[in-house]
């Protein structure tokens, strides 16, 4: 496969940096452009960026010149970590001019013809792109991924929805400092776990309630989950369903895909952010403390790396999926 | 009222120190004895204790001599912060020899004739002491208080149980480092919010589920609570019930009682441990983010100071209540 | 003494809020104006301010209307917590129109005719105000205080400079998150501990080196100090000098003055931010671990509350000093 | 080279776990025994150990059976992370029975015939082993490494001592929570940077002063260092000396040796624990903020990973050095 040129939009921020890190040495994608707000455009990336991640800024990136974000970015694929207003201005414009935009931004998440994609969970939502291109007359496309906490919940809950069916979910998040906020509504989860019927998205039908909290953790969102599942399966059946879960990324052996999307731990004091967030290079959801819940049926804790599985890594995996499935042109 | 002599059992630990702090200048109680394990007995308190709390160790206490814990402690009231095995050994022995033991320890919490008392919530449970003394042939008594997280939940939920009735509660705790663990069972909450029918405790009938977590906070336990209440009251009705809630300690104007047991805040980002845990000298539960829950009906967040309202302060208030009600002799 | 009207300039920030807290119930000063940048002017203080400190925003302040910062503020005394550029624009203008400005900002700290005042340390620097008013034709005045770390060092070192004389000081700061940065130069310390010879400031003559660090502490700057002192006094003599140290605020019994400016602790593990920063309502320097230094002679650790003694409290105390000494008019 | 059998003594603790991690896949050493206190002996390692480090416990280790520490451990090399009293009891006994003990424990550090070895700094101290074996009649040997903070200081200062000569050093440590304490005396540093004259250790002659602090950091000790160097070299000369520094481990290309023992960074806000502690797999000292010190001449900040370079990694490197130099038999 030839290498596709990719750009990171909003390259100097926390998530932009994660994109850059994940794209180093990527077998399919070649990082050719970094964009930013006008104020920093024209400067060397290394001169204006405080690098957040261990290991230091890749040397090849430090010397790249930052471009202003425009509709003419020289790249087939654009990974967007733009601020909200810049996303509003440029993502659709870029899709119109033929770019495939993979966005972490909320602007288009709930649009009727924009996939809100978790590659293992709802790969068939990609077919909405046909409708999207037809509706909008675009030669490119926009695919979004959910925010960090929603991805963590949905990834771990997907096999339960598929195997048993969720009736009621009560979730409390304990979000790391490096992550963004959580939406006030439960719509993301229901779109994630819903279906594409060929014409439209049909949300999953369960009831959902979330409490969101910020805690003193650097990276890694933890969520406590209480579920009422159809048929009242035992904790062992729930764990089996999670452990056996595989999706298209695993079938296609995509470069960024974790071998197993969900790791289930048995220790009473796991998962923990520092110990477990980097499981499968930060791309797996780590579940622990699966047990009977006297009131709801099942409860467990799920941890995901909020800026990898919950943000940049999810987008890169989505792009790999669509490239492998032939949705991005040849 | 004459001053009663009181002892702190297990005086050098975190909760023991809180007892000492709360008893400084107490109008009804006079601190006359501090006990400890045999290893430290005979030493000056100030020489063997690393004081944890702001303000420093009271000078009068620093000079007191530590005694070994025995059944002969010279005090009417014993506040117990003993380790589990020492509590097992001494609390009943002290009650037998006429002491009124107010314990933070779990040993006797679920005993059939031992009140698990939150002074505002279930003051009538004190009548179980008649049965206790008769059953056991004690001249003294044992009263327990719940652990820190259970007290926080029960105090805030009490007016909702009284006014509406709780059907289902799902709770996630984020517990401070200074606090002890949480029980694996929901029995404490149901005993707290249950009744004394003259002969036995009748647990409250709701379903209860808890997830317990430790977070990087020094003091102050935060809990997210989702409730299904009878009649589906609005958030405003829930807030009214909480704000108007008063108990016997408020009627009796007990020295350690908060003016209002529950403070309800309106800010989106409250309660927070550092800002709110010291409300009413740490004796109030602070509730915020009361709102509709799409799945359960009502959700909110409650914060309590885990070593004051959730431990030592609760015991001192219980002792004041029983003294005022004439349950400790004249 | 009649109450003087005072304003807080830059009232919504961290230090502005501390000023407001310290001025509640002040016997000499009456808070009549709160200023801010133009964007927030006209709004209620309580509506646009996220209050940082325990105890909550004073109710009387929540309802006050924010004014834009101008030269016409209706107050005799202005406590300035302005950002740098606003300080540049307004502090001198206010002094010109007759206001007595007590500033936390660095703009005028090193001016030749502006006192850099720590009330206990260099009260005689106030006489520079005569020169200042003459030079500049002002009816008002500007007095500054140093930044948080410099005040902590200088307050604890003042009795050593007076009693023995400092030859060399090596300091490492561990600064709390709530504090601002540290200057790269040693000039503040030398001006603090220097003298006013009637015409000009004469800096103290010792050598000074500082390393500055930020640590994960909410409030309270800790500094390790190694000193070479004239005559090589023992730790006991050093501690005596610190303990006996008193300044004009203590002689005059100023309302905000600590009874003892320096508290010396004996515990091996003290001072600690959480335990000791609030000593004397945050107005005392707390020193510990005074011991012989094999290389330099003496070493110790000093802790000060960075937003009280190191900022707002220092300014309020300076204003009290000048009011009591008759430097602010009758 | 045949693989040598190695044991980890005190295998369940923080440093013991680091040893285990570093020995996974080691080309020269094969981990064959894990010892512990009697209470845990006989149990599976995975059943009684709470694993501290990211990546999880190696599966092969989880199944190994813990042995009691005795003088008959079946291994040539013993890495000791024993508690002090067990080290006292067993390290010499093991050396007597032919084991080569590499110890992190302080028991023998200052013994006259025991090398206190940092492989890059004082490799020639290994010759003391001849004296040690002769003196004590041992067929084995004991080599110690310094504690975490002392290693960090000595490694970064070694090229300065060699190139210029140190006259005076003032150090303040900010130690991570995972590390042990710091000695109250300066003797370690002087032994590290001293020489072996063929018969005895000659300590380095400079004056040394240290302030030690614990800060809220998980891993990575930071130290601020102010130095008076002979000849008063510029910061650039100091940085050159550090950057060019290599020792025997680099010449011999030992498996655990960092390519460059000292990394010098230019950023104003570096080193930082999270960003820099893992440089060269945690085996390099990372230096930053090298600048002129108005009082002492030179100042800088040095960071080392306290449980790798400052503990287990240092011991493993020492063992590799002695194996490569033929000091452990063939």
């Amino acid at each position: 496969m030839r290498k596709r040129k990719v750009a990171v939009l909003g390259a100097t921020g926390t998530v932009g940096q994660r994109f850059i890190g994940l794209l180093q040495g990527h077998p399919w994608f070649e990082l050719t452009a970094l964009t930013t707000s006008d104020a920093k455009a024209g400067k060397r990336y290394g001169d204006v960026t405080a690098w957040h991640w261990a290991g230091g800024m890749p040397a090849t990136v430090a010397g790249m010149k930052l471009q202003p974000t425009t509709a003419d970015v020289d790249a087939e694929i654009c990974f967007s970590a733009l601020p909200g207003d810049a996303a509003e201005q440029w993502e659709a414009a870029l899709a119109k001019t033929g770019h495939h935009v993979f966005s972490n931004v909320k602007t288009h998440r709930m649009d009727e013809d924009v996939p809100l994609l978790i590659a293992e969970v709802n790969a068939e939502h990609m077919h909405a792109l046909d409708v999207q291109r037809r509706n909008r007359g675009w030669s490119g496309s926009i695919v979004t991924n959910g925010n960090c906490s929603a991805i963590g919940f949905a990834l771990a809950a997907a096999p339960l929805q598929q195997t048993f069916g969720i009736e009621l979910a009560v979730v409390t998040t304990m979000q790391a400092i490096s992550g963004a906020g959580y939406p006030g509504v439960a719509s993301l989860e229901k779109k994630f776990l819903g279906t594409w019927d060929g014409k439209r998205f049909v949300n999953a039908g369960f009831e959902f309630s979330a409490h969101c909290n910020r805690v003193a953790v650097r990276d890694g969102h933890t969520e406590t989950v209480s579920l009422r599942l159809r048929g009242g399966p035992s904790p062992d059946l729930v764990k089996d369903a999670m452990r056996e879960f595989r999706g298209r990324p695993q079938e296609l052996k995509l470069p960024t895909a974790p071998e197993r999307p969900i790791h289930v731990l048995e220790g009473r004091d796991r998962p923990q952010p520092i110990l477990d967030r980097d499981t499968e290079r930060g791309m797996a959801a780590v579940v622990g403390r699966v047990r009977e819940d006297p009131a709801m049926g099942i409860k467990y804790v799920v941890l995901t790396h909020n800026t990898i599985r919950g943000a940049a890594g999810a987008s890169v995996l989505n792009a790999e999926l669509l490239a492998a499935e032939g949705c991005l042109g040849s």
Side-chain angles (χ1 to χ4, degrees), chain A residues 7-8 18 25 47 49 76 81 90 199 204 209 218 237 284 328:
Chain A
V8 173
R18 278 284 183 212
D47 293 342
T49 307
E76 282 176 74
W90 293 115
K199 295 193 183 155
S209 159
R218 183 178 159 92
L237 287 176
L328 302 184

Side-chain angles (χ1 to χ4, degrees), chain A residues 53-97:
Chain A
W53 310 113
M57 185 186 295
T60 53
V61 171
M64 286 177 72
K65 195 162 281 184
L66 280 159
Q67 308 172 15
T69 309
T70 68
D72 303 322
V73 170
D74 179 22
E76 282 176 74
I77 292 173
C78 294
F79 292 109
S80 169
L82 291 171
D85 48 351
E88 192 99 39
Q89 184 177 3
W90 293 115
E91 288 185 354
L94 281 155
K96 194 172 181 183
T97 55

Side-chain angles (χ1 to χ4, degrees), chain A residues 176-191:
Chain A
I177 292 157
S178 61
Y182 198 72
V185 294
S187 41
L188 284 186
E189 286 76 8
K190 296 188 181 185
K191 186 171 175 185

Side-chain angles (χ1 to χ4, degrees), chain A residues 93-123:
Chain A
L94 281 155
K96 194 172 181 183
T97 55
H99 300 82
H100 299 290
V101 178
F102 291 85
S103 174
N104 263 286
V105 190
K106 69 174 172 187
T107 309
H108 297 285
R109 276 180 193 156
M110 296 310 289
D111 288 4
E112 283 193 355
D113 53 3
V114 172
L116 180 67
L117 201 63
I118 302 179
E120 287 91 344
V121 171
N122 58 2

Side-chain angles (χ1 to χ4, degrees), chain A residues 8-28:
Chain A
V8 173
L9 316 180
T12 61
T14 307
V15 172
Q17 294 182 21
R18 278 284 183 212
F19 274 123
I20 289 171
L22 291 165
L23 292 166
Q24 296 305 300
H26 196 284
W28 300 357

Side-chain angles (χ1 to χ4, degrees), chain A residues 271-305:
Chain A
Q272 291 182 25
I274 290 179
L275 296 179
D276 298 312
R277 66 186 167 211
D278 292 323
T279 303
E280 301 233 25
R281 292 151 297 114
M283 286 300 291
V286 183
V287 168
R289 297 166 70 197
V290 182
R291 56 214 192 284
E292 269 186 48
D293 180 312
M296 300 274 288
I298 285 290
K299 59 185 170 185
Y300 57 83
V301 179
V302 56
L303 169 76
T304 38
H305 196 302

Side-chain angles (χ1 to χ4, degrees), chain A residues 156-276:
Chain A
L160 310 184
Q161 170 72 350
Q162 292 172 13
T163 310
F164 311 107
I166 300 170
E167 292 176 349
L168 169 59
V170 179
V171 175
T172 291
T173 72
M174 291 167 281
Q175 299 171 233
I177 292 157
S178 61
Y182 198 72
V185 294
S187 41
L188 284 186
E189 286 76 8
K190 296 188 181 185
K191 186 171 175 185
F192 271 140
L193 296 180
T195 53
W196 172 255
D197 73 358
K199 295 193 183 155
R200 67 183 66 77
F201 297 112
V202 182
N203 287 345
F206 57 86
E207 290 179 288
F208 184 84
S209 159
H211 287 273
C212 303
N213 304 278
R214 188 79 61 197
V215 294
V217 162
R218 183 178 159 92
D219 290 305
H221 284 5
T222 302
E223 302 173 65
T224 64
V225 179
S226 295
L227 292 181
R228 184 162 290 159
L229 296 171
R230 267 192 209 101
S234 70
D236 280 344
L237 287 176
V238 164
K239 289 194 272 189
D240 287 348
M242 288 175 163
R243 285 183 169 131
E244 288 160 14
F245 179 65
R246 300 290 183 278
R248 285 294 285 159
Q250 285 71 41
E251 291 167 23
L252 297 167
K253 295 188 191 303
L254 300 178
T256 300
E259 237 174 84
R260 289 177 288 139
I262 307 171
H263 286 233
V264 180
L265 304 182
E266 295 292 339
R268 294 185 49 188
D269 57 352
R270 304 291 282 275
Q272 291 182 25
I274 290 179
L275 296 179
D276 298 312

